[in-house]
C-alpha cells in the first residue's frame, strides 16, 4: 500500500509539473510573440522618423537652391551633385525622379558599388518605381518593397519615404533596409527559445528533485515503519520467550513440588511395606513378594530420575541459584553421561552475574546445539567455551562432526527451526549469532552485550 501511494504521488507530481511546463512554454511563446510585434512596430516607427528626417534635410537643402536666382538647369545639376554626396549609414542614399517618372540621379553619379535604382524602364524595377510615383502624386509617404541591398547583394525588405519637390516638379526620396529589424527579431526569438529551454531544464530539475524527495520520504517512512514493526516483533518475541520460560518454570515447579513428592511418598511406603513383610510367610512367598517390591521400587526410582531430568531440562535450578556457568557444566555432565563422544567445557574470564533473559537465552542455545549434534553431527569431540569479557559474554560450541549445508537449511522454510529459534533469541537481545559448517565440523558462536549494571558488577 505504501509503494502504491508513493508511486501515485510521484505520478501526480510529474503530471502537474508537465502541465505547468507546457503552460509556461505557451505563455513564454505568447509573450515572445507580443514582444516581437511590439519591437517590430517600434523599429518601423523609428525607421520612419529617421527617413522623414533625412528627406526633410534634403528637401530643405534643395529648396534653398531653388529660390536662388540663376540658371535653373545649373541649379538642378548642383542639386543632383549635392544629393549624390549625401549618404547616410552603410547603404543609405537618395533617389530623384521627375514628374514623368524619369530617373534623374544615376547610380554612376554616386560612386557607390552595387547601388541599383528602381528604374521605370527596367522590368525588375518597374513595379517599385510605379509605387514611388503613385505615393508622390498623392502627396508623399511611405513605400515598402523588396530591393537589392548593396552591402549584401540580396533582396531585402526596404522602407522608402518620398515627397514631391514643387519648385522643379521632382520626386525625391530615401530608403532604409529592414533586415536589421529582422536581426533584432531573431535575437528576441533566440532569447525566447533559450528561456524556454532553461525553463524546461529547471522543470526537469524540479521534477527530479520532487520525485527524489518523494522517494526519500517514502523510504524514510518505510524504514520507520519497518523499525517500528521490527521493534514490535522483538518485544513480542521477548514476551513469547518470557512466557515460554515462565511456563517451563511453572511446569518444573509442579513436577518437583507435586508429582515428585507423590512418587517419593509412594517410594517410602513401598520401602516400609518391604521392611514389614510378615516373617510368618513361607520363604518362597516372602522372596516372591520381596522381588516384586524391588522391581516396583526400581521402576519408581527410574521414574523419579526421568522426572528430575525433565524438570532440570525445563528449568535447571542451578541456572537460578548458581548462574549460567554452573548450569552449562551440569548440562555437559548430563550430555557426557548419555553420549559416546568426548565433551569438554571451558570457562574463560571473570564470571559475572547475567540478567535472567541473557542466561536463559545462552542456556537454550546450548541445549538446542547439543540436540542438533546428537541427532545429525555424529562427532568424536565437542568443545564448549563460555567467555566473559568486559562488555560481552560469548558462547562457543565446536564439534568435529559431519557438518551440513548451512545455506540450504536456512533457505528451507520447513526446516532449520532450531537455528531460527537460536538466531531470534540472540537478535531479540541485540546479540550476534554466527555459524560455520563444513566437512571439518560445525562452529557456533553467539555473543550478547552485557548491560551496564551487569558489566560493572
Amino acid at each position: 500500500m505504501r509503494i502504491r501511494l508513493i508511486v501515485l504521488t510521484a505520478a501526480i507530481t510529474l503530471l502537474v509539473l508537465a502541465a505547468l511546463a507546457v503552460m509556461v512554454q505557451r505563455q513564454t511563446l505568447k509573450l515572445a510573440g507580443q514582444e516581437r510585434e511590439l519591437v517590430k512596430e517600434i523599429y518601423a516607427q523609428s525607421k520612419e522618423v529617421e527617413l522623414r528626417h533625412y528627406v526633410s534635410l534634403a528637401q530643405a537643402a534643395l529648396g534653398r537652391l531653388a529660390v536662388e536666382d540663376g540658371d535653373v538647369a545649373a541649379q538642378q545639376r548642383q542639386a543632383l551633385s549635392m544629393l549624390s554626396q549625401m549618404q547616410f549609414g552603410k547603404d543609405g542614399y537618395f533617389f530623384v525622379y521627375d514628374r514623368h517618372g524619369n530617373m534623374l540621379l544615376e547610380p554612376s553619379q554616386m560612386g557607390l558599388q552595387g547601388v541599383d535604382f528602381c528604374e521605370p524602364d527596367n522590368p525588375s524595377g518597374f513595379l517599385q518605381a510605379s509605387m514611388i510615383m503613385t505615393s508622390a502624386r498623392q502627396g508623399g509617404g511611405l513605400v515598402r518593397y523588396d530591393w537589392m541591398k548593396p552591402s549584401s547583394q540580396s533582396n531585402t525588405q526596404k522602407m522608402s519615404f518620398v515627397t514631391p519637390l514643387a519648385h522643379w516638379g521632382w520626386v525625391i526620396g530615401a530608403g532604409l533596409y529592414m533586415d536589421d529589424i529582422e536581426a533584432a527579431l531573431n535575437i528576441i526569438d533566440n532569447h525566447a527559445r533559450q528561456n524556454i529551454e532553461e525553463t524546461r531544464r529547471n522543470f526537469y530539475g524540479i521534477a527530479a528533485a520532487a520525485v527524489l524527495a518523494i522517494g526519500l520520504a517514502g523510504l524514510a517512512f518505510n524504514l520507520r515503519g519497518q523499525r517500528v514493526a521490527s521493534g514490535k516483533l522483538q518485544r513480542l518475541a521477548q514476551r513469547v520467550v518470557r512466557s515460554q520460560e515462565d511456563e517451563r518454570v511453572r511446569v518444573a515447579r509442579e513436577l518437583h513440588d507435586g508429582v515428585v513428592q507423590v512418587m517419593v511418598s509412594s517410594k517410602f511406603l513401598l520401602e516400609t511395606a518391604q521392611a514389614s513383610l510378615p516373617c510368618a510367610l513361607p520363604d518362597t512367598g516372602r522372596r516372591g513378594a520381596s522381588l516384586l517390591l524391588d522391581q516396583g521400587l526400581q521402576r519408581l526410582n527410574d521414574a523419579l530420575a526421568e522426572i528430575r531430568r525433565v524438570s532440570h531440562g525445563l528449568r535447571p535450578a542451578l541456572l537460578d541459584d548458581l548462574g549460567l556457568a554452573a548450569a552449562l557444566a551440569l548440562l555437559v555432565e548430563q550430555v557426557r553421561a548419555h553420549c559416546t563422544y568426548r565433551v569438554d567445557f571451558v570457562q574463560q574470564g571473570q564470571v559475572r552475574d547475567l540478567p535472567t533473559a541473557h542466561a536463559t537465552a545462552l542456556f537454550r542455545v546450548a541445549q538446542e546445539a547439543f540436540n542438533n549434534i546428537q541427532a545429525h553431527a555424529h562427532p568424536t569431540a565437542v568443545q564448549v567455551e563460555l567467555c566473559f569479557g568486559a562488555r560481552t559474554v560469548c558462547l562457543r560450541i565446536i564439534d568435529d562432526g559431519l557438518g551440513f549445508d548451512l545455506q540450504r537449511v536456512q533457505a528451507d522454510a520447513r526446516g532449520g527451526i532450531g537455528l531460527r529459534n537460536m538466531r531470534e533469541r540472540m537478535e531479540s537481545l541485540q546479540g550476534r549469532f554466527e555459524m560455520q559448517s563444513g566437512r571439518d565440523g560445525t562452529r557456533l558462536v553467539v555473543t550478547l552485550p552485557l548491560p551496564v549494571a551487569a558489566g560493572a558488577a
Side-chain angles (χ1 to χ4, degrees), residues 104-266:
L104 302 179
L105 185 60
E106 297 290 340
S108 59
Q109 296 176 271
M110 300 180 63
L112 295 176
Q113 298 293 330
V115 175
D116 193 9
F117 286 158
C118 302
E119 299 182 19
D121 297 335
N122 190 340
S124 61
F126 174 78
L127 179 60
Q128 291 81 356
S130 176
M131 294 170 60
I132 291 172
M133 296 304 299
T134 300
S135 177
R137 293 188 185 101
Q138 295 175 355
L142 292 175
V143 181
R144 297 175 183 267
Y145 52 90
D146 292 337
W147 197 247
M148 179 76 69
K149 185 176 181 180
S151 60
S152 63
Q153 293 296 306
S154 61
N155 280 340
T156 306
Q157 187 178 16
K158 185 177 182 181
M159 176 191 293
S160 295
F161 183 78
V162 296
T163 184
L165 189 61
H167 300 287
W168 295 330
W170 286 2
V171 175
I172 64 173
L176 290 174
Y177 292 94
M178 307 295 287
D179 55 347
D180 52 349
I181 297 180
E182 293 298 327
L185 295 178
N186 290 333
I187 293 175
I188 294 175
D189 293 339
N190 290 332
H191 286 170
R193 285 192 291 269
Q194 292 175 1
N195 290 335
I196 292 173
E197 185 63 28
E198 183 177 357
T199 302
R200 186 181 292 111
R201 287 196 298 268
N202 291 336
F203 268 103
Y204 289 159
I206 294 173
V211 173
L212 180 61
I214 293 173
L216 292 177
L219 178 61
F221 183 70
N222 285 336
L223 290 177
R224 181 177 178 276
Q226 186 175 3
R227 285 197 298 270
V228 172
S230 178
K232 290 181 179 179
L233 288 176
Q234 286 184 356
R235 290 192 293 271
L236 179 61
Q238 291 173 358
R239 286 198 294 268
V240 170
V241 170
R242 284 197 297 269
S243 299
Q244 291 176 345
E245 294 300 327
D246 293 341
E247 183 64 17
R248 291 185 182 209
V249 171
R250 188 189 67 80
V251 173
R253 187 184 302 114
E254 293 293 333
L255 288 174
H256 182 271
D257 297 340
V259 177
V260 171
Q261 299 304 323
V262 172
M263 296 184 72
V264 169
S265 298
S266 301

Side-chain angles (χ1 to χ4, degrees), residues 44-62 64 83 86-89 93-94 141-142 159-163 172-176:
Q45 290 178 357
S46 66
K47 293 285 188 180
E48 180 179 353
V49 171
E50 185 179 0
L51 283 174
R52 289 180 181 273
H53 177 67
Y54 291 147
V55 173
S56 296
L57 290 178
Q59 188 178 16
L62 296 183
R64 285 195 299 271
L83 288 176
M86 292 176 64
Q87 301 172 5
F88 50 91
Y93 53 87
F94 291 95
L142 292 175
M159 176 191 293
S160 295
F161 183 78
V162 296
T163 184
I172 64 173
L176 290 174

